[in-house]
Amino acid sequence: MNERELDLQLIQRIQNGEQQAFSLLVRKYQTRVANILTRYVRSTGDIPDVSQEVFIKVYRSLPNFRGDSAFYTWLFRITVNTAKNYLTSQSRRPPASDIDADEADSYDGSGALKDEDNPEAILHSQEVKRVILDTINNLPDELKSAITLRELEGMSYDEIAQIEGCPIGTVRSRIFRAREAIDKQLKPLLEN
Amino acid sequence: MKEYAQDLSSLIDNELDEETVINEILEDAELQQQFSRYQLMGDVMRDESNGFDLRIDVTDSVMAAIANEVQKDNVVPLASKVKPANNVVPFMKRFGQYAIAASVAGVVVVSSLMVNQNSVTDPSVTPVLSTVPFGGAAAPVSLQVAPSSTKDEIKEQNERLEALLKDHQLQLQIQP
């Protein structure tokens, strides 16, 4: 199963009236949506509100989603349109150059933000990143390699198994153990 | 929960296609939180989390807003239930009533004109209801006609009136 199939599975559940399935789509994509919004929304304080608006629009439009394009491409378009509408409502002009769905994932939006951002939030976010990256660096090599090949290179378990020379079940277990180790450090940080 | 944690990890990597795992996650709040944190790890590793507060999770607020919206959609105002499905029938009904009234009026006017044209007036036959006064002509009540009587006639009328008055006074004196 690829990413598109999982999304479609969740969308089918929502279209069949299982409203709660939408929460998994929100959890899955909210960071990426916020990352796109930093390109348009100048104040980080507004990002949660605009993100919420994006997902509500997505939910309303889901009955019309036919799956011709990937869900993320569709979500990306709605995010950009909502951000532009937000700028218009704030009497600001959208940025001169748009970004494509392909560029959005790698776009570094931090440069677009102003100094009015909450310094405490920035410090906290930096702390979250530091904890995640430090924990990965301190993982045993086989766990670090497995999680890196999966998350950064986007390889399947089968491809990782071939590179690492181990069964798929071992890859599955290594990636899970790596995530578990990071989660142990991350969970208290987010709860506080 | 622990037994599904590894399945959750595989599901995020699109390496698991089991409806039961999705069902389990949807029923378990802690698994859902874990799903969010696992996603965040990948987003941070791919550097997709710049410039905003990573503590913010809009899931609950989005789901609350959606639930609220669905509730509003389900509540249909009573007035709208009473309203007819469309206004075509009442309009046609009213239009039909006007059409019947107009055609009846038209028939009455045409038939009365035809009756007046064809009737032959026989002066020897007295109609049941005669609208012509016995005097031969009717004068409008409000029309003021200029007096056509002469001075002598006026004098004669005055004398007659005086005589009537005298007679009236005499009768009053005779009565006990």
Side-chain angles (χ1 to χ4, degrees), chain A residues 1 9 13 27 30 44 60 113 124-125 129 150-151 157 172 179-180 183, chain B residues 2 9 13-16 19 23 36-37 46 50-51 55 57-58 69:
Chain A
M1 186 171 72
Q9 207 173 345
R13 279 173 176 250
R27 290 182 190 282
Q30 63 177 329
T44 52
R60 283 181 190 152
L113 295 168
H124 187 272
S125 297
K129 286 181 196 174
R150 172 61 214 151
E151 292 287 15
Y157 286 3
R172 188 187 306 272
R179 284 185 172 135
E180 211 178 24
D183 196 41
Chain B
K2 178 84 176 175
S9 173
D13 293 333
N14 311 304
E15 297 280 352
L16 191 73
E19 295 272 332
N23 291 341
S36 290
R37 292 194 298 272
R46 288 186 298 271
N50 292 308
R55 288 172 296 185
D57 185 343
V58 297
E69 207 164 85

PDB file of all heavy atoms in Angstrom, chain A residues 1 9 13 27 30 44 60 113 124-125 129 150-151 157 172 179-180 183, chain B residues 2 9 13-16 19 23 36-37 46 50-51 55 57-58 69:
ATOM      1  N   MET A   1       0.844  -1.202   0.000  1.00  0.00           N
ATOM      2  CA  MET A   1       0.000   0.000   0.000  1.00  0.00           C
ATOM      3  C   MET A   1       0.880   1.253   0.000  1.00  0.00           C
ATOM      4  O   MET A   1       1.824   1.353   0.775  1.00  0.00           O
ATOM      5  CB  MET A   1      -0.880   0.007   1.260  1.00  0.00           C
ATOM      6  CG  MET A   1      -1.886   1.135   1.254  1.00  0.00           C
ATOM      7  SD  MET A   1      -3.096   1.024   2.560  1.00  0.00           S
ATOM      8  CE  MET A   1      -2.142   1.433   3.970  1.00  0.00           C
ATOM      9  N   GLN A   9      -8.260   5.333   1.418  1.00  0.00           N
ATOM     10  CA  GLN A   9      -8.992   4.472   2.361  1.00  0.00           C
ATOM     11  C   GLN A   9      -9.687   5.334   3.429  1.00  0.00           C
ATOM     12  O   GLN A   9     -10.855   5.111   3.769  1.00  0.00           O
ATOM     13  CB  GLN A   9      -8.002   3.520   3.018  1.00  0.00           C
ATOM     14  CG  GLN A   9      -8.616   2.225   3.481  1.00  0.00           C
ATOM     15  CD  GLN A   9      -7.557   1.239   3.965  1.00  0.00           C
ATOM     16  OE1 GLN A   9      -6.374   1.408   3.711  1.00  0.00           O
ATOM     17  NE2 GLN A   9      -7.967   0.232   4.671  1.00  0.00           N
ATOM     18  N   ARG A  13     -13.811   6.188   3.998  1.00  0.00           N
ATOM     19  CA  ARG A  13     -14.494   6.075   5.294  1.00  0.00           C
ATOM     20  C   ARG A  13     -15.267   7.360   5.609  1.00  0.00           C
ATOM     21  O   ARG A  13     -16.404   7.319   6.075  1.00  0.00           O
ATOM     22  CB  ARG A  13     -13.465   5.831   6.407  1.00  0.00           C
ATOM     23  CG  ARG A  13     -13.010   4.377   6.519  1.00  0.00           C
ATOM     24  CD  ARG A  13     -11.877   4.263   7.517  1.00  0.00           C
ATOM     25  NE  ARG A  13     -11.474   2.877   7.723  1.00  0.00           N
ATOM     26  CZ  ARG A  13     -11.681   2.193   8.842  1.00  0.00           C
ATOM     27  NH1 ARG A  13     -12.303   2.756   9.858  1.00  0.00           N
ATOM     28  NH2 ARG A  13     -11.288   0.946   8.961  1.00  0.00           N
ATOM     29  N   ARG A  27      -4.190  14.905  11.450  1.00  0.00           N
ATOM     30  CA  ARG A  27      -2.949  14.600  12.179  1.00  0.00           C
ATOM     31  C   ARG A  27      -1.797  14.343  11.203  1.00  0.00           C
ATOM     32  O   ARG A  27      -0.663  14.711  11.453  1.00  0.00           O
ATOM     33  CB  ARG A  27      -3.153  13.371  13.067  1.00  0.00           C
ATOM     34  CG  ARG A  27      -4.062  13.624  14.244  1.00  0.00           C
ATOM     35  CD  ARG A  27      -4.210  12.402  15.129  1.00  0.00           C
ATOM     36  NE  ARG A  27      -5.267  12.585  16.113  1.00  0.00           N
ATOM     37  CZ  ARG A  27      -5.145  13.297  17.222  1.00  0.00           C
ATOM     38  NH1 ARG A  27      -4.004  13.902  17.493  1.00  0.00           N
ATOM     39  NH2 ARG A  27      -6.159  13.424  18.061  1.00  0.00           N
ATOM     40  N   GLN A  30      -1.186  18.125   9.110  1.00  0.00           N
ATOM     41  CA  GLN A  30      -1.241  19.472   9.671  1.00  0.00           C
ATOM     42  C   GLN A  30       0.113  20.183   9.681  1.00  0.00           C
ATOM     43  O   GLN A  30       0.182  21.397   9.472  1.00  0.00           O
ATOM     44  CB  GLN A  30      -1.869  19.480  11.058  1.00  0.00           C
ATOM     45  CG  GLN A  30      -1.136  18.706  12.126  1.00  0.00           C
ATOM     46  CD  GLN A  30      -1.827  18.854  13.476  1.00  0.00           C
ATOM     47  OE1 GLN A  30      -2.439  19.877  13.766  1.00  0.00           O
ATOM     48  NE2 GLN A  30      -1.758  17.826  14.292  1.00  0.00           N
ATOM     49  N   THR A  44       2.988  33.983  12.826  1.00  0.00           N
ATOM     50  CA  THR A  44       2.795  32.572  13.200  1.00  0.00           C
ATOM     51  C   THR A  44       1.566  32.393  14.079  1.00  0.00           C
ATOM     52  O   THR A  44       0.986  31.312  14.116  1.00  0.00           O
ATOM     53  CB  THR A  44       4.016  32.024  13.951  1.00  0.00           C
ATOM     54  OG1 THR A  44       4.306  32.911  15.022  1.00  0.00           O
ATOM     55  CG2 THR A  44       5.198  31.878  13.036  1.00  0.00           C
ATOM     56  N   ARG A  60     -15.451  19.961   3.872  1.00  0.00           N
ATOM     57  CA  ARG A  60     -16.669  20.315   3.126  1.00  0.00           C
ATOM     58  C   ARG A  60     -16.584  19.859   1.667  1.00  0.00           C
ATOM     59  O   ARG A  60     -17.588  19.525   1.055  1.00  0.00           O
ATOM     60  CB  ARG A  60     -16.866  21.833   3.156  1.00  0.00           C
ATOM     61  CG  ARG A  60     -17.403  22.341   4.471  1.00  0.00           C
ATOM     62  CD  ARG A  60     -17.571  23.833   4.385  1.00  0.00           C
ATOM     63  NE  ARG A  60     -17.871  24.437   5.665  1.00  0.00           N
ATOM     64  CZ  ARG A  60     -17.545  25.675   5.986  1.00  0.00           C
ATOM     65  NH1 ARG A  60     -16.903  26.435   5.122  1.00  0.00           N
ATOM     66  NH2 ARG A  60     -17.853  26.165   7.157  1.00  0.00           N
ATOM     67  N   LEU A 113       8.802  34.856   7.725  1.00  0.00           N
ATOM     68  CA  LEU A 113       8.153  35.297   8.960  1.00  0.00           C
ATOM     69  C   LEU A 113       8.774  36.581   9.500  1.00  0.00           C
ATOM     70  O   LEU A 113       9.949  36.857   9.294  1.00  0.00           O
ATOM     71  CB  LEU A 113       8.242  34.189  10.005  1.00  0.00           C
ATOM     72  CG  LEU A 113       7.478  32.930   9.623  1.00  0.00           C
ATOM     73  CD1 LEU A 113       7.859  31.795  10.550  1.00  0.00           C
ATOM     74  CD2 LEU A 113       5.995  33.181   9.677  1.00  0.00           C
ATOM     75  N   HIS A 124      10.721  26.851  21.757  1.00  0.00           N
ATOM     76  CA  HIS A 124      10.150  25.528  22.015  1.00  0.00           C
ATOM     77  C   HIS A 124      10.267  24.638  20.790  1.00  0.00           C
ATOM     78  O   HIS A 124      10.627  23.458  20.890  1.00  0.00           O
ATOM     79  CB  HIS A 124       8.691  25.650  22.454  1.00  0.00           C
ATOM     80  CG  HIS A 124       8.112  24.345  22.899  1.00  0.00           C
ATOM     81  ND1 HIS A 124       7.522  23.473  22.009  1.00  0.00           N
ATOM     82  CD2 HIS A 124       8.068  23.742  24.114  1.00  0.00           C
ATOM     83  CE1 HIS A 124       7.131  22.400  22.671  1.00  0.00           C
ATOM     84  NE2 HIS A 124       7.444  22.542  23.948  1.00  0.00           N
ATOM     85  N   SER A 125       9.951  25.196  19.628  1.00  0.00           N
ATOM     86  CA  SER A 125      10.032  24.412  18.395  1.00  0.00           C
ATOM     87  C   SER A 125      11.469  23.979  18.124  1.00  0.00           C
ATOM     88  O   SER A 125      11.712  22.848  17.674  1.00  0.00           O
ATOM     89  CB  SER A 125       9.502  25.235  17.213  1.00  0.00           C
ATOM     90  OG  SER A 125       8.153  25.520  17.420  1.00  0.00           O
ATOM     91  N   LYS A 129      12.861  20.063  17.819  1.00  0.00           N
ATOM     92  CA  LYS A 129      13.717  19.579  16.719  1.00  0.00           C
ATOM     93  C   LYS A 129      15.028  19.034  17.258  1.00  0.00           C
ATOM     94  O   LYS A 129      15.504  17.973  16.817  1.00  0.00           O
ATOM     95  CB  LYS A 129      14.024  20.730  15.752  1.00  0.00           C
ATOM     96  CG  LYS A 129      12.865  21.102  14.883  1.00  0.00           C
ATOM     97  CD  LYS A 129      13.276  22.226  13.945  1.00  0.00           C
ATOM     98  CE  LYS A 129      12.081  22.878  13.355  1.00  0.00           C
ATOM     99  NZ  LYS A 129      12.407  24.055  12.558  1.00  0.00           N
ATOM    100  N   ARG A 150      14.026   5.317   5.623  1.00  0.00           N
ATOM    101  CA  ARG A 150      12.566   5.389   5.468  1.00  0.00           C
ATOM    102  C   ARG A 150      12.102   6.846   5.359  1.00  0.00           C
ATOM    103  O   ARG A 150      11.400   7.218   4.424  1.00  0.00           O
ATOM    104  CB  ARG A 150      11.893   4.683   6.659  1.00  0.00           C
ATOM    105  CG  ARG A 150      10.411   4.834   6.741  1.00  0.00           C
ATOM    106  CD  ARG A 150       9.684   4.263   5.545  1.00  0.00           C
ATOM    107  NE  ARG A 150       8.496   5.084   5.257  1.00  0.00           N
ATOM    108  CZ  ARG A 150       7.975   5.226   4.067  1.00  0.00           C
ATOM    109  NH1 ARG A 150       8.497   4.638   3.028  1.00  0.00           N
ATOM    110  NH2 ARG A 150       6.912   5.971   3.898  1.00  0.00           N
ATOM    111  N   GLU A 151      12.468   7.687   6.338  1.00  0.00           N
ATOM    112  CA  GLU A 151      11.912   9.041   6.414  1.00  0.00           C
ATOM    113  C   GLU A 151      12.572  10.019   5.439  1.00  0.00           C
ATOM    114  O   GLU A 151      11.895  10.882   4.893  1.00  0.00           O
ATOM    115  CB  GLU A 151      12.046   9.605   7.844  1.00  0.00           C
ATOM    116  CG  GLU A 151      11.174   8.882   8.879  1.00  0.00           C
ATOM    117  CD  GLU A 151       9.684   9.193   8.753  1.00  0.00           C
ATOM    118  OE1 GLU A 151       9.246   9.728   7.722  1.00  0.00           O
ATOM    119  OE2 GLU A 151       8.949   8.887   9.705  1.00  0.00           O
ATOM    120  N   TYR A 157       9.945  -0.796   2.924  1.00  0.00           N
ATOM    121  CA  TYR A 157      10.590  -1.771   3.815  1.00  0.00           C
ATOM    122  C   TYR A 157      11.385  -2.798   3.000  1.00  0.00           C
ATOM    123  O   TYR A 157      12.457  -3.235   3.410  1.00  0.00           O
ATOM    124  CB  TYR A 157       9.540  -2.481   4.674  1.00  0.00           C
ATOM    125  CG  TYR A 157       8.960  -1.636   5.808  1.00  0.00           C
ATOM    126  CD1 TYR A 157       9.319  -0.302   5.978  1.00  0.00           C
ATOM    127  CD2 TYR A 157       8.058  -2.189   6.721  1.00  0.00           C
ATOM    128  CE1 TYR A 157       8.779   0.454   7.009  1.00  0.00           C
ATOM    129  CE2 TYR A 157       7.523  -1.436   7.764  1.00  0.00           C
ATOM    130  CZ  TYR A 157       7.883  -0.104   7.893  1.00  0.00           C
ATOM    131  OH  TYR A 157       7.359   0.657   8.922  1.00  0.00           O
ATOM    132  N   ARG A 172      10.932  -3.647   9.826  1.00  0.00           N
ATOM    133  CA  ARG A 172       9.705  -3.161  10.489  1.00  0.00           C
ATOM    134  C   ARG A 172       9.968  -2.908  11.974  1.00  0.00           C
ATOM    135  O   ARG A 172       9.599  -1.871  12.519  1.00  0.00           O
ATOM    136  CB  ARG A 172       8.607  -4.210  10.310  1.00  0.00           C
ATOM    137  CG  ARG A 172       7.217  -3.788  10.774  1.00  0.00           C
ATOM    138  CD  ARG A 172       6.244  -4.956  10.716  1.00  0.00           C
ATOM    139  NE  ARG A 172       6.199  -5.590   9.408  1.00  0.00           N
ATOM    140  CZ  ARG A 172       5.396  -5.192   8.420  1.00  0.00           C
ATOM    141  NH1 ARG A 172       4.563  -4.198   8.614  1.00  0.00           N
ATOM    142  NH2 ARG A 172       5.421  -5.811   7.250  1.00  0.00           N
ATOM    143  N   ARG A 179      11.396   4.833  16.408  1.00  0.00           N
ATOM    144  CA  ARG A 179      10.304   5.781  16.698  1.00  0.00           C
ATOM    145  C   ARG A 179       9.951   5.751  18.192  1.00  0.00           C
ATOM    146  O   ARG A 179       9.670   6.793  18.790  1.00  0.00           O
ATOM    147  CB  ARG A 179       9.069   5.440  15.860  1.00  0.00           C
ATOM    148  CG  ARG A 179       9.221   5.883  14.412  1.00  0.00           C
ATOM    149  CD  ARG A 179       7.961   5.654  13.624  1.00  0.00           C
ATOM    150  NE  ARG A 179       8.073   6.261  12.296  1.00  0.00           N
ATOM    151  CZ  ARG A 179       7.708   5.658  11.177  1.00  0.00           C
ATOM    152  NH1 ARG A 179       7.194   4.426  11.209  1.00  0.00           N
ATOM    153  NH2 ARG A 179       7.833   6.267  10.019  1.00  0.00           N
ATOM    154  N   GLU A 180       9.958   4.568  18.751  1.00  0.00           N
ATOM    155  CA  GLU A 180       9.625   4.433  20.176  1.00  0.00           C
ATOM    156  C   GLU A 180      10.637   5.194  21.036  1.00  0.00           C
ATOM    157  O   GLU A 180      10.255   5.865  22.006  1.00  0.00           O
ATOM    158  CB  GLU A 180       9.611   2.948  20.541  1.00  0.00           C
ATOM    159  CG  GLU A 180       8.643   2.601  21.638  1.00  0.00           C
ATOM    160  CD  GLU A 180       8.637   1.093  21.919  1.00  0.00           C
ATOM    161  OE1 GLU A 180       9.636   0.404  21.620  1.00  0.00           O
ATOM    162  OE2 GLU A 180       7.630   0.614  22.434  1.00  0.00           O
ATOM    163  N   ASP A 183      10.013   8.872  20.621  1.00  0.00           N
ATOM    164  CA  ASP A 183       8.739   9.218  21.263  1.00  0.00           C
ATOM    165  C   ASP A 183       8.886   9.355  22.775  1.00  0.00           C
ATOM    166  O   ASP A 183       8.230  10.188  23.408  1.00  0.00           O
ATOM    167  CB  ASP A 183       7.684   8.162  20.924  1.00  0.00           C
ATOM    168  CG  ASP A 183       6.274   8.639  21.224  1.00  0.00           C
ATOM    169  OD1 ASP A 183       5.987   9.825  20.938  1.00  0.00           O
ATOM    170  OD2 ASP A 183       5.465   7.861  21.740  1.00  0.00           O
TER     171      ASP A 183
ATOM    172  N   LYS B   2      -0.044  -1.216  23.226  1.00  0.00           N
ATOM    173  CA  LYS B   2       1.318  -1.550  22.817  1.00  0.00           C
ATOM    174  C   LYS B   2       1.320  -2.484  21.600  1.00  0.00           C
ATOM    175  O   LYS B   2       2.132  -2.332  20.686  1.00  0.00           O
ATOM    176  CB  LYS B   2       2.013  -2.220  24.010  1.00  0.00           C
ATOM    177  CG  LYS B   2       3.436  -2.672  23.752  1.00  0.00           C
ATOM    178  CD  LYS B   2       4.422  -1.553  23.939  1.00  0.00           C
ATOM    179  CE  LYS B   2       5.850  -2.055  23.768  1.00  0.00           C
ATOM    180  NZ  LYS B   2       6.812  -0.959  23.819  1.00  0.00           N
ATOM    181  N   SER B   9       3.087   2.198  13.400  1.00  0.00           N
ATOM    182  CA  SER B   9       4.327   2.597  12.730  1.00  0.00           C
ATOM    183  C   SER B   9       4.338   2.102  11.277  1.00  0.00           C
ATOM    184  O   SER B   9       4.680   2.848  10.354  1.00  0.00           O
ATOM    185  CB  SER B   9       5.525   2.026  13.508  1.00  0.00           C
ATOM    186  OG  SER B   9       6.716   2.249  12.801  1.00  0.00           O
ATOM    187  N   ASP B  13       4.008   4.188   7.477  1.00  0.00           N
ATOM    188  CA  ASP B  13       4.943   3.949   6.365  1.00  0.00           C
ATOM    189  C   ASP B  13       4.252   3.314   5.164  1.00  0.00           C
ATOM    190  O   ASP B  13       4.938   2.917   4.209  1.00  0.00           O
ATOM    191  CB  ASP B  13       6.087   3.035   6.854  1.00  0.00           C
ATOM    192  CG  ASP B  13       6.950   3.736   7.881  1.00  0.00           C
ATOM    193  OD1 ASP B  13       7.019   4.977   7.849  1.00  0.00           O
ATOM    194  OD2 ASP B  13       7.560   3.049   8.729  1.00  0.00           O
ATOM    195  N   ASN B  14       2.958   3.203   5.199  1.00  0.00           N
ATOM    196  CA  ASN B  14       2.168   2.610   4.098  1.00  0.00           C
ATOM    197  C   ASN B  14       2.570   1.164   3.823  1.00  0.00           C
ATOM    198  O   ASN B  14       2.565   0.712   2.679  1.00  0.00           O
ATOM    199  CB  ASN B  14       2.322   3.452   2.822  1.00  0.00           C
ATOM    200  CG  ASN B  14       2.101   4.922   3.066  1.00  0.00           C
ATOM    201  OD1 ASN B  14       1.056   5.325   3.568  1.00  0.00           O
ATOM    202  ND2 ASN B  14       3.105   5.727   2.761  1.00  0.00           N
ATOM    203  N   GLU B  15       2.954   0.484   4.896  1.00  0.00           N
ATOM    204  CA  GLU B  15       3.376  -0.915   4.748  1.00  0.00           C
ATOM    205  C   GLU B  15       2.357  -1.864   5.363  1.00  0.00           C
ATOM    206  O   GLU B  15       2.642  -3.046   5.543  1.00  0.00           O
ATOM    207  CB  GLU B  15       4.745  -1.133   5.437  1.00  0.00           C
ATOM    208  CG  GLU B  15       5.879  -0.334   4.826  1.00  0.00           C
ATOM    209  CD  GLU B  15       6.437  -0.967   3.551  1.00  0.00           C
ATOM    210  OE1 GLU B  15       6.050  -2.103   3.234  1.00  0.00           O
ATOM    211  OE2 GLU B  15       7.242  -0.306   2.871  1.00  0.00           O
ATOM    212  N   LEU B  16       1.195  -1.350   5.688  1.00  0.00           N
ATOM    213  CA  LEU B  16       0.171  -2.184   6.313  1.00  0.00           C
ATOM    214  C   LEU B  16      -1.189  -1.779   5.760  1.00  0.00           C
ATOM    215  O   LEU B  16      -1.507  -0.592   5.692  1.00  0.00           O
ATOM    216  CB  LEU B  16       0.194  -1.979   7.837  1.00  0.00           C
ATOM    217  CG  LEU B  16      -0.625  -2.961   8.649  1.00  0.00           C
ATOM    218  CD1 LEU B  16       0.039  -4.327   8.702  1.00  0.00           C
ATOM    219  CD2 LEU B  16      -0.797  -2.433  10.075  1.00  0.00           C
ATOM    220  N   GLU B  19      -7.715  -2.863   7.859  1.00  0.00           N
ATOM    221  CA  GLU B  19      -8.798  -2.005   8.353  1.00  0.00           C
ATOM    222  C   GLU B  19      -8.887  -2.036   9.879  1.00  0.00           C
ATOM    223  O   GLU B  19      -9.224  -1.043  10.506  1.00  0.00           O
ATOM    224  CB  GLU B  19     -10.135  -2.487   7.763  1.00  0.00           C
ATOM    225  CG  GLU B  19     -10.238  -2.352   6.256  1.00  0.00           C
ATOM    226  CD  GLU B  19     -10.752  -0.993   5.825  1.00  0.00           C
ATOM    227  OE1 GLU B  19     -11.489  -0.371   6.599  1.00  0.00           O
ATOM    228  OE2 GLU B  19     -10.393  -0.567   4.717  1.00  0.00           O
ATOM    229  N   ASN B  23      -9.296   0.992  12.570  1.00  0.00           N
ATOM    230  CA  ASN B  23     -10.401   0.996  13.539  1.00  0.00           C
ATOM    231  C   ASN B  23      -9.880   1.172  14.956  1.00  0.00           C
ATOM    232  O   ASN B  23     -10.438   1.936  15.752  1.00  0.00           O
ATOM    233  CB  ASN B  23     -11.198  -0.316  13.458  1.00  0.00           C
ATOM    234  CG  ASN B  23     -11.977  -0.430  12.158  1.00  0.00           C
ATOM    235  OD1 ASN B  23     -12.217   0.576  11.490  1.00  0.00           O
ATOM    236  ND2 ASN B  23     -12.338  -1.645  11.794  1.00  0.00           N
ATOM    237  N   SER B  36       0.128  11.250  15.711  1.00  0.00           N
ATOM    238  CA  SER B  36       0.562  12.634  15.477  1.00  0.00           C
ATOM    239  C   SER B  36       2.062  12.790  15.718  1.00  0.00           C
ATOM    240  O   SER B  36       2.766  13.431  14.928  1.00  0.00           O
ATOM    241  CB  SER B  36      -0.179  13.596  16.413  1.00  0.00           C
ATOM    242  OG  SER B  36      -1.522  13.703  16.050  1.00  0.00           O
ATOM    243  N   ARG B  37       2.558  12.197  16.824  1.00  0.00           N
ATOM    244  CA  ARG B  37       3.990  12.353  17.154  1.00  0.00           C
ATOM    245  C   ARG B  37       4.867  11.646  16.123  1.00  0.00           C
ATOM    246  O   ARG B  37       5.912  12.169  15.740  1.00  0.00           O
ATOM    247  CB  ARG B  37       4.255  11.828  18.574  1.00  0.00           C
ATOM    248  CG  ARG B  37       3.619  12.670  19.685  1.00  0.00           C
ATOM    249  CD  ARG B  37       4.191  12.323  21.050  1.00  0.00           C
ATOM    250  NE  ARG B  37       3.949  10.945  21.435  1.00  0.00           N
ATOM    251  CZ  ARG B  37       2.855  10.515  22.086  1.00  0.00           C
ATOM    252  NH1 ARG B  37       1.903  11.370  22.423  1.00  0.00           N
ATOM    253  NH2 ARG B  37       2.723   9.248  22.420  1.00  0.00           N
ATOM    254  N   ARG B  46      12.510  15.687   7.781  1.00  0.00           N
ATOM    255  CA  ARG B  46      12.493  16.183   6.394  1.00  0.00           C
ATOM    256  C   ARG B  46      12.527  17.701   6.350  1.00  0.00           C
ATOM    257  O   ARG B  46      12.401  18.300   5.283  1.00  0.00           O
ATOM    258  CB  ARG B  46      11.238  15.664   5.671  1.00  0.00           C
ATOM    259  CG  ARG B  46      11.275  14.187   5.346  1.00  0.00           C
ATOM    260  CD  ARG B  46      10.059  13.769   4.505  1.00  0.00           C
ATOM    261  NE  ARG B  46       8.812  13.989   5.233  1.00  0.00           N
ATOM    262  CZ  ARG B  46       8.254  13.089   6.034  1.00  0.00           C
ATOM    263  NH1 ARG B  46       8.820  11.909   6.206  1.00  0.00           N
ATOM    264  NH2 ARG B  46       7.139  13.356   6.676  1.00  0.00           N
ATOM    265  N   ASN B  50       9.247  24.345   9.723  1.00  0.00           N
ATOM    266  CA  ASN B  50       9.927  25.603  10.051  1.00  0.00           C
ATOM    267  C   ASN B  50       8.961  26.752  10.273  1.00  0.00           C
ATOM    268  O   ASN B  50       7.974  26.883   9.546  1.00  0.00           O
ATOM    269  CB  ASN B  50      10.887  25.979   8.920  1.00  0.00           C
ATOM    270  CG  ASN B  50      12.041  25.016   8.851  1.00  0.00           C
ATOM    271  OD1 ASN B  50      12.713  24.768   9.846  1.00  0.00           O
ATOM    272  ND2 ASN B  50      12.260  24.447   7.675  1.00  0.00           N
ATOM    273  N   GLY B  51       9.284  27.559  11.247  1.00  0.00           N
ATOM    274  CA  GLY B  51       8.608  28.840  11.387  1.00  0.00           C
ATOM    275  C   GLY B  51       7.275  28.824  12.096  1.00  0.00           C
ATOM    276  O   GLY B  51       6.530  29.788  11.983  1.00  0.00           O
ATOM    277  N   ARG B  55       4.026  22.836  19.000  1.00  0.00           N
ATOM    278  CA  ARG B  55       3.118  22.316  20.035  1.00  0.00           C
ATOM    279  C   ARG B  55       1.668  22.361  19.565  1.00  0.00           C
ATOM    280  O   ARG B  55       0.809  21.683  20.112  1.00  0.00           O
ATOM    281  CB  ARG B  55       3.225  23.151  21.316  1.00  0.00           C
ATOM    282  CG  ARG B  55       4.495  22.944  22.083  1.00  0.00           C
ATOM    283  CD  ARG B  55       4.601  23.948  23.206  1.00  0.00           C
ATOM    284  NE  ARG B  55       4.697  25.315  22.685  1.00  0.00           N
ATOM    285  CZ  ARG B  55       4.888  26.388  23.448  1.00  0.00           C
ATOM    286  NH1 ARG B  55       4.985  26.274  24.752  1.00  0.00           N
ATOM    287  NH2 ARG B  55       4.982  27.595  22.918  1.00  0.00           N
ATOM    288  N   ASP B  57      -1.633  21.693  17.880  1.00  0.00           N
ATOM    289  CA  ASP B  57      -2.314  20.580  17.214  1.00  0.00           C
ATOM    290  C   ASP B  57      -3.757  21.031  16.977  1.00  0.00           C
ATOM    291  O   ASP B  57      -4.510  21.233  17.931  1.00  0.00           O
ATOM    292  CB  ASP B  57      -2.262  19.334  18.124  1.00  0.00           C
ATOM    293  CG  ASP B  57      -2.847  18.106  17.437  1.00  0.00           C
ATOM    294  OD1 ASP B  57      -3.566  18.263  16.433  1.00  0.00           O
ATOM    295  OD2 ASP B  57      -2.581  16.985  17.918  1.00  0.00           O
ATOM    296  N   VAL B  58      -4.112  21.213  15.712  1.00  0.00           N
ATOM    297  CA  VAL B  58      -5.450  21.755  15.408  1.00  0.00           C
ATOM    298  C   VAL B  58      -6.512  20.662  15.275  1.00  0.00           C
ATOM    299  O   VAL B  58      -7.674  20.970  15.021  1.00  0.00           O
ATOM    300  CB  VAL B  58      -5.432  22.621  14.109  1.00  0.00           C
ATOM    301  CG1 VAL B  58      -4.542  23.835  14.267  1.00  0.00           C
ATOM    302  CG2 VAL B  58      -5.034  21.800  12.898  1.00  0.00           C
ATOM    303  N   GLU B  69     -20.807  21.852  12.808  1.00  0.00           N
ATOM    304  CA  GLU B  69     -21.389  22.109  11.492  1.00  0.00           C
ATOM    305  C   GLU B  69     -22.404  21.015  11.124  1.00  0.00           C
ATOM    306  O   GLU B  69     -23.477  21.313  10.624  1.00  0.00           O
ATOM    307  CB  GLU B  69     -20.269  22.135  10.465  1.00  0.00           C
ATOM    308  CG  GLU B  69     -20.582  22.977   9.265  1.00  0.00           C
ATOM    309  CD  GLU B  69     -19.339  23.282   8.474  1.00  0.00           C
ATOM    310  OE1 GLU B  69     -18.968  22.446   7.655  1.00  0.00           O
ATOM    311  OE2 GLU B  69     -18.728  24.336   8.695  1.00  0.00           O
TER     312      GLU B  69
END
